[in-house]
Amino acid sequence: MSHLSTVLITGCSSGFGLDTAKLFLDRGWRVVATMRTPRSDLLPASELLRILPLDVTDPDSIRACIAAAGPIDALVNNAGVGLLAPLEDTLLVNAREVFETNTLGTMAMTQAVLPQFRQRRAGVVVNVTSSVTLKSLPLLSVYTASKAAVNAFTESLALELAAFDVRARLVLPGRAPSTRFGDNARKLMAASPSDAYADFTQSVIAAVRSMDTPVTQAEDVAEAVWRAVTDPAAPMRIPAGANAVALSAD
């Protein structure tokens, strides 16, 4: 791809999406950075940057974003929401929100860009999931299910798109305490865990926040996404971060 190629990245207000947008800008790509609530102060001013509003759960928002973005060469589905809670304490309305964003939002965005990729016989879809799909962790059953579904979706999709010279790849980040994932995940928790799970929940949350074991930094994910987009020989699944790499080798 040329230095004037364009990437559209979802979920750029913080963490993985923000660092990925910065990296592509630094390397000379045009970047369409999308956020539910656009902010112009998060990324450096650049003629190569456009910031657009996008809610991946809203079909009208998706249509407006794709129309405003114009032709793109790569889509990075990074937008997501976490949920950290015992299943027994999880409201199904919250579980549906996780799947609407993480799974169906990814599918909807992918579906929206495929006509232009297929017609040009070029393009890349990169879906950011999680290393929890490699090794299950407690309190993340709903979140893990939503990301495991994206893994399976992407691997099947890649077979459909190969005939049109369009690629689909996965990036699997590890645990990243330095991002806002944990705080965001707790928003969908029950106001207070039931007594049966209270102590266990607190111990798991403490482990999630710990920096005593290898972790993933946002720049690790940005580099993995860069590889997935720019390297036609990149593997289907690319772990991002020391802990994810270790899990993928087990």
Side-chain angles (χ1 to χ4, degrees):
M1 292 180 181
S2 74
H3 68 287
L4 292 179
S5 295
T6 300
V7 60
L8 189 155
I9 306 167
T10 69
C12 289
S13 61
S14 66
F16 302 154
L18 182 59
D19 269 54
T20 300
K22 289 177 179 176
L23 184 144
F24 275 82
L25 280 173
D26 287 345
R27 296 181 181 175
W29 276 56
R30 292 191 180 105
V31 173
V32 180
T34 71
M35 311 172 190
R36 281 198 176 194
T37 305
R39 288 179 53 184
S40 61
D41 60 324
L42 298 175
L43 289 158
S46 171
E47 293 181 353
L48 299 177
L49 173 66
R50 294 189 67 192
I51 299 174
L52 294 178
L54 174 64
D55 179 348
V56 301
T57 69
D58 182 341
D60 290 336
S61 178
I62 291 174
R63 280 191 290 270
C65 178
I66 295 299
I72 65 170
D73 300 282
L75 168 68
V76 178
N77 283 310
N78 166 76
V81 62
L83 195 160
L84 187 71
L87 179 63
E88 192 173 344
D89 290 344
T90 299
L91 298 175
L92 284 182
V93 65
N94 290 342
R96 290 190 181 97
E97 180 178 340
V98 171
F99 273 84
E100 285 286 348
T101 302
N102 296 357
T103 310
L104 295 177
T106 292
M107 292 179 178
M109 284 300 298
T110 302
Q111 193 173 51
V113 304
L114 286 186
Q116 60 174 291
F117 285 1
R118 175 178 48 77
Q119 290 163 13
R120 290 201 309 269
R121 300 189 69 88
V124 188
V125 177
V126 177
N127 294 329
V128 179
T129 62
S130 175
S131 65
V132 298
T133 61
L134 302 174
K135 180 180 179 180
S136 298
L137 297 174
L139 306 187
L140 289 168
S141 59
V142 171
Y143 174 78
T144 301
S146 74
K147 292 296 191 177
V150 175
N151 287 356
F153 158 72
T154 306
E155 292 176 347
S156 180
L157 176 69
L159 302 177
E160 297 176 21
L161 300 183
F164 303 104
D165 299 320
V166 176
R167 293 187 291 115
R169 295 292 185 268
L170 290 160
V171 168
L172 287 74
R175 185 173 63 89
S178 63
T179 70
R180 286 166 35 193
F181 173 81
D183 292 336
N184 293 337
R186 283 187 289 276
K187 291 179 183 177
L188 295 182
M189 289 175 61
S192 58
S194 60
D195 290 344
Y197 295 98
D199 291 342
F200 181 65
T201 297
Q202 291 307 310
S203 67
V204 171
I205 290 174
V208 168
R209 290 174 172 169
S210 173
M211 299 291 286
D212 294 336
T213 56
V215 297
T216 293
Q217 304 297 335
E219 54 265 32
D220 298 328
V221 179
E223 288 287 356
V225 171
W226 173 263
R227 180 185 178 195
V229 169
T230 62
D231 180 4
M236 170 58 68
R237 296 187 178 205
I238 305 174
N243 48 345
V245 171
L247 287 175
S248 68
D250 289 346

